[in-house]
Amino acid sequence: MNARDKLVGAAIMKRLRLARGWSLADTARAIIDTAARLGQPFDVSIASVQRTVARWETSTKPILPSERYQLLLAHLCAGDTEGRPSLGTGSDFAELLDALRHLGESEQRLSELHTLLVRTTTDAGAGLLAPAW
């Protein structure tokens, strides 16, 4: 990935957050809450997660979220504001995958995330996708 691609990815990440009206701290809380809901609680502070989110969105040297954060973000972005699964073109989930692609994630990993979320939304476990916003 070149620097321009990474900046595009960072801008998409920031746009997704701002579209929900979330501050960095709101996003950190949503990530921590999602992790707890999925049985993967974080033992970190909101401030720590907030700094991590800021590093994904920075306009200087954005970083790619780790696989754990990618999964949590996928769950956050996979539902619409009414709690219905929304994974198709134009959805926040599709935008997230595009952002991750620009930040340097492999097509294989993006495919795995997509498959996992499709499976989760079509199985009895769809309740895991209830949005945190």
Side-chain angles (χ1 to χ4, degrees):
M1 285 294 106
N2 63 41
R4 184 187 178 318
D5 285 335
K6 288 187 176 199
L7 291 177
V8 168
I12 295 169
M13 296 289 287
K14 187 172 189 174
R15 185 175 67 237
L16 284 168
R17 176 178 60 81
L18 294 176
R20 290 184 175 85
W22 286 353
S23 66
L24 290 169
D26 294 334
T27 304
R29 278 191 280 292
I31 289 169
I32 290 168
D33 292 347
T34 299
R37 203 172 65 245
L38 295 174
Q40 300 179 5
F42 273 179
D43 188 25
V44 294
S45 69
I46 290 172
S48 175
V49 176
Q50 182 177 334
R51 285 188 299 274
T52 300
V53 173
R55 286 193 291 269
W56 305 332
E57 299 180 1
T58 185
S59 60
T60 54
K61 287 188 174 186
I63 64 167
L64 176 68
S66 69
E67 287 190 4
R68 183 175 188 193
Y69 278 113
Q70 288 177 21
L71 178 62
L72 297 171
L73 290 167
H75 279 274
L76 279 173
C77 291
D80 65 17
T81 56
E82 282 80 45
R84 295 177 304 241
S86 180
L87 303 175
T89 304
S91 68
D92 285 353
F93 179 73
E95 289 286 313
L96 173 66
L97 293 182
D98 191 40
L100 296 175
R101 182 177 292 110
H102 278 92
L103 288 168
E105 189 53 80
S106 72
E107 288 301 321
Q108 179 181 343
R109 172 66 179 155
L110 296 175
S111 178
E112 290 169 359
L113 270 175
H114 185 267
T115 299
L116 176 64
L117 271 289
V118 167
R119 200 174 297 147
T120 303
T121 60
T122 57
D123 289 348
L128 292 175
L129 293 176
W133 57 91

